């Protein structure tokens, strides 16, 4: 849904950009139209930013290579290199407006654009010492000069923002706004929509009137004349606890692989596929809006669409699906230096040697041929949908999965399970936790995180107490706001299982074991199935990868009598 909205709104932005560019003259110092994406937190905004602007993609040899963003006008990567002057910026409005120093988490994300703007600052103001300017002040200057010719933010085309953009933000070139968050109050809706209400030109036409100007807004509910009934007394304030990463406990950090799914290593090199009823896929018309009507209370109405997809050649569609299937499922392992491995801790033994995965490109022609056969035999399109919509990520991923399963069903011989990792952020951890909670908490001493957040009145607290007291436990963390999920299938549908704790345990031979701990009360079929899936798929897949340390899982039925048994 998000990809469809981005594509649709960007297609309209491109028309606005082309009109602006066509109307420019040699003495015109106007700035381009601006596209804003408003997100709810730094994690979401960072992923959206990388999707739009580009990111450093890990390579098989341990280096990284700039990967371009999805949209040409917003991409900060061109011809395999980062642009000296970015078109898209990521700003955390809440932090910038607070006047406080930026968090280390946001600095880490924004380090590239901060450096780029420092270089730009040196060119524009050679007599000033840029090193004396605070990073937050520099980004604040960029944000506040968006749409202003000759300023640091003058060339910005896209702003990916966390939280609202300040009411005093007076950029008058905003033409497109996408809200990727829930809006709890009408005021927040008005504030976001207000970013697009400042006029760009106050020149009058032949009739002495202003020409109408429009902003295209997606995802922001807005009442023109809101009304509300009277409300009673507000509820009493509830106690909040600040749960956060403690930098002084860096040695207690817990990391984990972010597994998207599973794949199997094939014993054979010649691939074939067996297409069955399960191989079939339908692109339903209800799954994705192919056009969007947009209009204000008065004035111009317009239809946005995804016609960019309809004109794509089927050769491109086949290539992209085969490429996705290859990158997801057809990889090989090579020995490498342990210090280079993502998530590996130097000095700690790995269970299955040191290995790095890379795509087995020699199999691409076979996968491409099977993809063409699958499209002809197993793909169906409903109503106004068409095969080119397979270029949408969700459809493309489903198609790649169907093709892989068809190949897998025709494989003879032993198959070794391995994990499929997230592309953008393959290693998760405790390094950037920062939130408030009204739930009960337990203060920690052996965790990188300040508190354990409790869902009940007793068992999480008791489990935390046991982990704190066990000498074998080096560190631990409650899986809250970590994003640690184990993918599994139940009743034919894909789900995510969120275990309760991760503990780093020192074994008798001195090595470390990453132990997943699930605290179970009553016996439930689905809970048992989740734990079994973690034990039978996630654990062997991660351990077979050989680059994330040793992992195990244990189920505890009574925290008060918990005694973690391990080899």
């Amino acid at each position: 849904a998000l990809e469809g909205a981005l594509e649709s709104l960007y297609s309209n932005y491109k028309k606005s950009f082309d009109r602006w560019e066509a109307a420019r003259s040699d003495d015109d110092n106007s700035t381009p139209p601006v596209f804003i994406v408003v997100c709810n937190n730094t994690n979401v905004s960072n992923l959206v930013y990388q999707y739009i602007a580009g990111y450093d993609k890990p390579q098989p040899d341990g280096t990284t290579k700039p990967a371009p963003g999805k949209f040409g006008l917003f991409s900060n990567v061109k011809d395999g290199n980062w642009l000296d002057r970015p078109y898209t910026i990521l700003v955390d409005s809440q932090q910038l407006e607070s006047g406080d120093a930026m968090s280390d988490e946001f600095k880490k994300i924004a380090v590239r654009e901060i450096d780029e703007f420092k270089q730009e600052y040196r060119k524009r103001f050679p007599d000033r010492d840029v090193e004396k300017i605070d990073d937050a002040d520099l980004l604040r200057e960029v944000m506040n000069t968006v749409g202003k010719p000759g300023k640091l933010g003058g060339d910005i085309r896209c702003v990916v923002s966390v939280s609202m953009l300040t009411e005093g933000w007076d950029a008058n070139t905003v033409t497109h706004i996408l809200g990727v968050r829930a809006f709890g109050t009408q005021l927040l809706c008005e504030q976001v929509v207000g970013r697009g209400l400042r006029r760009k030109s106050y020149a009058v036409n032949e009739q002495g009137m202003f020409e109408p100007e429009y902003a295209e807004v997606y995802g922001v509910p807005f009442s023109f004349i809101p009304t509300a009934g009277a409300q009673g007394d507000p509820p009493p304030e509830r106690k909040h606890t600040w749960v956060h990463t403690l930098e002084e406990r860096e040695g207690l950090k817990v990391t984990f692989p972010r597994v998207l799914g599973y794949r199997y290593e094939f014993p054979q090199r010649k691939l074939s596929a067996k297409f069955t009823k399960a191989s079939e896929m339908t692109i339903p018309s209800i799954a994705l809006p192919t056009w969007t009507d947009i209009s204000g209370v008065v004035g111009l109405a317009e239809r946005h669409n995804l016609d960019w997809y309809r004109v794509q050649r089927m050769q491109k569609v086949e290539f992209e699906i085969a490429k996705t299937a290859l990158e997801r499922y057809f990889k090989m392992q090579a020995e490498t230096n342990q210090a280079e491995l993502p998530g590996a801790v130097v000095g700690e033994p790995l269970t299955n040697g040191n290995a790095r995965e890379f795509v087995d490109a020699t199999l691409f022609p076979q996968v491409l041929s099977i993809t063409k056969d699958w499209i002809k035999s197993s793909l169906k399109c409903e109503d106004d949908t068409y095969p080119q919509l397979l270029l949408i990520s969700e459809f493309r991923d489903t198609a790649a999965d169907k093709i892989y399963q068809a190949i897998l069903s025709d494989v003879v011989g032993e198959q070794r399970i391995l994990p499929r990792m997230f592309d953008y952020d393959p290693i998760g951890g405790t390094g950037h936790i920062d939130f408030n909670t009204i739930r009960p908490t337990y203060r920690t001493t052996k965790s990188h995180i300040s508190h354990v957040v409790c869902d009940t009145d007793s068992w999480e607290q008791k489990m935390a107490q046991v982990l704190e007291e066990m000498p074998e436990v080096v560190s631990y963390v409650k899986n809250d706001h970590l994003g640690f999920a184990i993918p599994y299938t139940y009743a034919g549908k894909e789900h995510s299982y969120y275990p309760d704790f991760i503990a780093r345990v020192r074994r008798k031979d001195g090595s470390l074991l990453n132990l997943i701990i699930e605290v179970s009360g009553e016996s439930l079929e689905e809970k048992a199935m989740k734990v079994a899936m973690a034990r039978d798929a996630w654990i062997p897949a991660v351990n077979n990868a050989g680059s994330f340390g040793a992992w195990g899982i244990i189920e505890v039925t009574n925290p008060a009598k918990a005694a973690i048994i391990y080899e």
Side-chain angles (χ1 to χ4, degrees):
L2 174 57
E3 185 175 12
L6 281 167
E7 288 277 6
S8 179
L9 199 55
Y10 174 77
S11 67
N12 186 264
Y13 172 89
K14 189 174 185 305
K15 294 177 183 178
S16 298
F17 184 90
D18 291 343
R19 287 194 297 268
W20 165 77
E21 201 167 43
R24 295 186 71 192
S25 58
D26 293 339
D27 57 352
D28 184 0
N29 67 343
S30 64
T31 58
V34 175
F35 188 113
I36 298 177
V37 184
V38 182
C39 303
N40 60 330
N41 62 50
T42 303
N43 290 332
V44 173
S45 66
N46 188 32
L47 289 174
V48 171
Y49 171 74
Q50 290 183 54
Y51 181 81
I52 289 175
Y55 67 104
D56 285 315
K57 187 174 183 178
Q59 301 299 302
D61 61 359
T63 62
T64 59
K65 180 180 179 181
K70 180 65 180 290
F71 308 114
L73 294 176
F74 298 156
S75 178
N76 291 340
V77 176
K78 187 175 182 181
D79 299 329
N81 296 298
W82 290 98
L83 297 175
D84 293 334
R85 186 179 300 175
Y87 292 135
T88 298
I89 61 170
L90 172 65
V91 293
D92 187 331
S93 309
Q94 206 167 40
Q95 289 195 27
L96 294 183
E97 292 163 24
S98 69
D100 299 329
M102 290 187 297
S103 69
D104 291 337
E105 176 188 8
F106 188 76
K107 278 187 178 181
K108 183 179 178 181
I109 295 170
V111 63
R112 183 182 301 281
E113 59 185 283
I114 289 173
D115 289 342
E116 287 167 345
F117 284 119
K118 281 184 176 179
Q119 294 176 21
E120 182 68 14
Y121 194 90
R122 290 188 184 97
K123 293 177 183 177
R124 293 176 185 266
F125 310 107
D127 56 331
R128 302 182 190 177
D129 186 359
V130 70
E131 299 305 328
K132 292 183 179 180
I133 300 175
D134 182 78
D135 290 343
D137 289 335
L138 188 65
L139 277 186
R140 196 176 289 116
E141 170 70 11
V142 175
M143 187 180 80
N144 289 335
T145 56
V146 170
K148 293 180 171 55
K151 302 292 185 180
L152 282 181
D155 295 316
I156 297 302
R157 301 171 183 177
C158 180
V159 177
V160 181
S161 169
V162 184
S163 185
M164 302 302 107
L165 290 168
T166 174
E167 287 188 49
W169 194 62
D170 61 353
N172 63 350
T173 53
V174 176
T175 57
H176 295 74
I177 302 172
L178 176 62
V180 189
R181 56 161 295 159
F183 291 90
T185 68
Q186 179 66 24
L187 179 61
L188 294 182
C189 300
E190 294 171 2
Q191 192 174 341
V192 174
V193 174
R195 301 312 100 217
L197 296 182
R198 288 176 172 80
R199 288 191 60 82
K200 185 175 181 180
S201 171
Y202 287 89
V204 297
N205 58 21
E206 292 81 358
Q207 290 76 38
M209 308 289 286
F210 292 144
E211 288 291 341
E213 295 180 359
Y214 295 91
E216 314 290 335
V217 184
Y218 278 16
V220 181
F222 182 73
S223 300
F224 185 60
I225 306 177
T227 59
Q231 295 183 347
D233 294 333
E237 286 286 331
R238 302 183 67 176
K239 179 184 176 182
H240 290 71
T241 302
W242 179 31
V243 182
H244 59 288
T245 298
L246 297 169
E247 294 183 7
E248 63 271 21
R249 296 186 190 172
E250 179 70 18
L252 302 181
K253 184 175 183 179
V254 174
T255 60
F256 55 87
R258 298 185 65 240
V259 176
L260 180 64
Y262 310 99
R263 66 180 183 85
Y264 293 87
E265 205 170 58
F266 295 140
Q268 62 195 57
R269 301 295 298 166
K270 182 166 178 57
L271 302 180
S272 58
K274 183 186 296 181
F275 299 131
T276 64
K277 187 72 175 176
S279 305
E280 294 179 358
M281 174 182 172
T282 300
I283 303 179
S285 58
I286 198 173
L288 178 75
T290 53
W291 51 265
T292 304
D293 283 336
I294 184 166
S295 65
V297 177
V298 296
L300 183 70
E302 199 167 28
R303 173 166 290 190
H304 301 173
N305 56 52
L306 298 177
D307 283 352
W308 175 86
Y309 286 100
R310 193 184 292 272
V311 299
Q312 298 303 303
R313 298 171 60 192
M314 282 305 299
Q315 186 178 10
K316 176 182 175 67
V317 177
E318 296 160 355
F319 184 92
E320 290 296 329
I321 295 173
K323 177 172 174 284
T324 300
L326 191 78
E327 291 180 343
R328 276 189 165 205
Y329 297 114
F330 298 93
K331 295 184 178 181
M332 300 178 68
Q333 289 191 335
E335 295 301 310
T336 186
N337 187 308
Q338 178 177 343
E340 297 176 352
L341 294 171
V345 179
V346 178
E348 292 181 5
L350 301 180
T351 48
N352 294 295
N354 304 331
R356 182 181 296 282
E357 291 188 335
F358 62 93
V359 175
D360 187 356
T362 61
L363 294 177
F364 182 76
Q366 295 183 65
V367 178
L368 180 60
S369 177
I370 292 171
T371 298
K372 293 178 180 179
D373 293 340
W374 176 83
I375 290 176
K376 292 176 183 177
S377 65
S378 303
L379 179 66
K380 299 178 182 178
C381 297
E382 280 187 355
D383 301 332
D384 57 346
T385 64
Y386 38 91
Q388 288 90 334
L389 288 177
L390 288 173
L391 292 172
I392 293 282
S393 295
E394 187 172 351
F395 298 148
R396 184 179 67 238
D397 292 347
T398 301
D401 289 345
K402 296 278 189 183
I403 291 166
Y404 171 67
Q405 292 299 330
I407 295 173
L408 192 62
S409 65
D410 213 33
V411 170
V412 178
E414 184 181 353
Q415 301 164 14
R416 189 168 74 113
I417 191 170
L418 291 165
R420 289 193 296 112
M421 309 299 296
F422 279 83
D423 289 332
Y424 286 106
D425 193 14
I427 304 297
T430 54
H432 306 294
I433 303 300
D434 189 345
F435 65 95
N436 288 292
T437 183
I438 59 174
R439 288 183 288 168
T441 58
Y442 181 93
R443 190 178 295 275
T444 68
T445 61
K446 275 190 177 181
S447 179
H448 197 198
I449 309 302
S450 59
H451 299 76
V452 166
V453 180
C454 306
D455 300 311
T456 66
D457 293 327
S458 59
W459 73 257
E460 287 97 349
Q461 293 92 326
K462 188 60 184 177
M463 191 72 245
Q465 180 187 350
V466 169
L467 294 173
E468 291 277 354
E469 293 175 353
M470 285 189 67
E472 298 90 348
V473 174
V474 176
S475 64
Y476 73 97
V477 65
K478 170 80 186 310
N479 187 19
D480 194 301
H481 285 68
L482 277 188
F484 175 49
I486 293 177
Y488 71 99
T489 302
Y490 181 72
K493 294 184 178 179
E494 293 185 356
H495 301 274
S496 292
Y497 157 46
Y498 295 88
D500 295 318
F501 287 86
I502 304 175
R504 304 191 77 200
V505 181
R506 183 71 66 183
R507 295 191 284 195
K508 294 176 182 178
D509 63 0
S511 63
L512 281 177
L513 175 70
N514 298 287
L515 190 63
I516 299 170
I517 302 172
E518 179 64 36
V519 183
S520 302
E522 58 181 311
S523 179
L524 297 175
E525 179 185 351
E526 188 174 356
K527 171 64 75 69
M529 185 274 305
K530 291 177 182 179
V531 175
M533 187 66 184
R535 181 181 293 112
D536 299 337
W538 195 93
I539 295 294
V542 169
N543 285 338
N544 284 340
S547 52
F548 307 110
W551 285 80
I553 185 169
I554 189 170
E555 191 172 8
V556 176
T557 55
N558 186 350
K561 298 179 180 180
I564 298 175
I565 301 172
Y566 58 93
E567 295 180 356

